[in-house]
Amino acid sequence: MALFRFGRKEEPREEPTSAEPQAEAAAKPGFLDRLKAGLAKTAKVLSTDVRDIFKREGRLVDEEFLEELRAALVKTDMGPAAAEAIVADVRERLRARVVDPDVVLDSIRTQLLARLKPAEAGIASAATGPTVILVTGVNGSGKTTSIAKLTRLFIRDGKRVVLGAGDTFRAAAVEQLAMWAGRLGAEIVRGEPGCDPASVAHRAVAKAVEGGFDVCIVDTAGRLQTQANLMQELGKIRRVIAKQVPDAPHETLLVIDATAGQNALSQAKGFREAAGCTGIVLAKLDGSARGGVIVPVAEQFGLPVKFVGVGESADDLEPFRPDEFLAALLEGSFAPAG
Ligand code: GDP
């Protein structure tokens, strides 16, 4: 199976073209700026709290210092294991020394990178024919918005996209998806309210094959009935898709709400098990100062994080790359050089 490589065409560092006045090009936020803006709340808490520990002059790295550091880290929801790894690293290397906050922030970056790196993976795509992506998740997780954002990402990459409005029990979700499709320039296949989602998936994939589309994104029910029921429904959708495109679906993405807390995370686990998910879309990372939750999500679900959602607009979705993510989270935290 091939992998998608999303370009970074909107990078602001590129020289502006003559058709694009310099001021306009500078005003258009690039992907790193959007990521930074989305993670600003978490970044602020992290850097302010870590710097606050150093307010007492000549502070030594001792157990009291390490406890305060642990408390600051835990506030971002990165989880006790990641916080402990950072504390242990600082203790081992810097104990009984007077250090600069940047040295501690650097340890945070190194330790988080080691934990997040395994959660990085490409986006699978079809070798020939349309790439089919199934999207699952609890109602309210940000599924519809994430489908719109994915659509935008593919269209920006020059791909033609057709959507399958498979959450047929939520008329409002179908309407919202249709609105996004119109706005973003994608086609949409929908059915009568309450119709069999598998029939919508079938028609959407058929349209993608016949119309030579590059990508078909199929929405699925966001209500959690019994797991057996959900499995049955998703199994049927998978079968009708695979009949038309043998390797499909190429990805089954689980949308998770980063602000939702433990309860919602355990609900999402039900979807993961029923749906045979291949990756996570972590939505609403901008919604709280607890963006560190990406660490336990990546570790608990045992699935790669494929995209992160950092806002409500169609542009606010980024393929997850741990080094970029940590640069956006920590860049502003370091003291300016000189
Ligand atoms: P669905 O029920 O799972 O389809 O969820 P929706 O896509 O309708 O999203 C629920 C709410 O979350 C809406 O108000 C969205 O605008 C909002 N939302 C979705 N993704 C994000 C995100 O990444 N950041 C923020 N701040 N809001 C989001």
Side-chain angles (χ1 to χ4, degrees), residues 138 140-145 149 170 176 284 286 309-312:
V138 187
S141 60
K143 192 160 56 78
T144 310
T145 315
K149 292 170 174 177
R170 285 199 307 166
Q176 210 189 342
K284 310 190 202 179
D286 57 311
V310 288
E312 288 186 277

Side-chain angles (χ1 to χ4, degrees), residues 4-335:
F4 273 114
R5 294 257 168 261
F6 289 100
R8 293 301 201 190
K9 284 181 208 144
E10 78 288 17
E11 261 267 37
R13 281 188 220 109
E14 280 175 16
E15 288 301 313
T17 61
S18 52
E20 191 180 40
Q22 202 150 354
E24 216 174 277
K28 208 195 290 171
F31 75 95
L32 203 56
D33 292 321
R34 283 198 300 270
L35 201 54
K36 255 193 238 170
L39 294 173
K41 285 186 192 164
T42 306
K44 190 160 185 295
V45 165
L46 193 59
S47 69
T48 307
D49 284 12
V50 169
R51 287 192 179 281
D52 276 355
I53 306 174
F54 289 86
K55 275 204 172 138
R56 241 192 290 148
E57 217 169 300
R59 193 130 192 219
L60 280 180
V61 175
D62 56 12
E63 285 308 312
E64 189 194 4
F65 173 100
L66 292 169
E67 266 324 298
E68 286 173 38
L69 176 62
R70 187 198 312 275
L73 298 172
V74 164
K75 258 196 193 173
T76 70
D77 267 9
M78 69 173 65
E84 184 48 45
I86 293 166
V87 166
D89 178 57
V90 173
R91 181 188 285 120
E92 191 185 310
R93 293 189 303 112
L94 308 169
R95 198 180 160 77
R97 286 174 50 189
V98 178
V99 295
D100 190 79
D102 287 359
V103 180
V104 172
L105 288 163
D106 206 43
S107 167
I108 296 174
R109 175 160 51 198
T110 310
Q111 294 298 320
L112 291 184
L113 188 61
R115 299 189 94 83
L116 289 174
K117 204 70 189 162
E120 184 178 25
I123 315 302
S125 73
T128 55
T131 294
V132 183
I133 300 175
L134 208 56
V135 183
T136 67
V138 187
N139 280 340
S141 60
K143 192 160 56 78
T144 310
T145 315
S146 295
I147 293 172
K149 292 170 174 177
L150 272 173
T151 303
R152 174 92 167 119
L153 210 52
F154 284 115
I155 287 178
R156 217 163 56 189
D157 216 46
K159 307 284 188 290
R160 290 176 65 231
V161 180
V162 60
L163 304 179
D167 194 352
T168 56
F169 283 90
R170 285 199 307 166
V174 174
E175 286 311 318
Q176 210 189 342
L177 207 58
M179 182 276 291
W180 278 118
R183 203 188 275 180
L184 298 171
E187 295 286 319
I188 184 164
V189 171
R190 49 198 285 185
E192 291 300 312
C195 74
D196 183 356
S199 76
V200 174
H202 173 82
R203 286 193 294 113
V205 175
K207 186 177 174 82
V209 172
E210 285 155 20
F213 284 81
D214 303 293
V215 180
C216 177
I217 306 176
V218 179
D219 193 9
T220 62
R223 72 205 175 288
L224 195 60
Q225 322 129 319
T226 64
Q227 192 146 316
N229 213 326
L230 188 70
M231 266 171 147
Q232 215 175 12
E233 182 170 309
L234 288 164
K236 190 170 169 195
I237 292 175
R238 287 177 163 278
R239 282 193 300 279
V240 303
I241 291 175
K243 250 191 211 160
Q244 299 178 85
V245 180
D247 284 342
H250 303 89
E251 290 279 4
T252 301
L253 300 177
L254 172 62
V255 180
I256 293 178
D257 177 347
T259 66
Q262 277 306 318
N263 212 5
L265 290 190
S266 52
Q267 263 191 41
K269 279 211 170 124
F271 273 84
R272 188 217 122 139
E273 276 143 32
C277 294
T278 54
I280 290 170
V281 178
L282 189 55
K284 310 190 202 179
L285 260 179
D286 57 311
S288 78
R290 295 168 171 265
V293 75
I294 194 166
V295 178
V297 162
E299 290 179 344
Q300 279 173 31
F301 280 81
L303 286 173
V305 178
K306 302 238 169 170
F307 296 94
V308 290
V310 288
E312 288 186 277
S313 96
D315 282 323
D316 293 326
L317 188 83
E318 300 295 339
F320 176 62
R321 297 187 177 105
D323 39 3
E324 284 172 9
F325 181 88
L326 290 168
L329 186 64
L330 290 164
E331 198 177 86
S333 309
F334 290 93

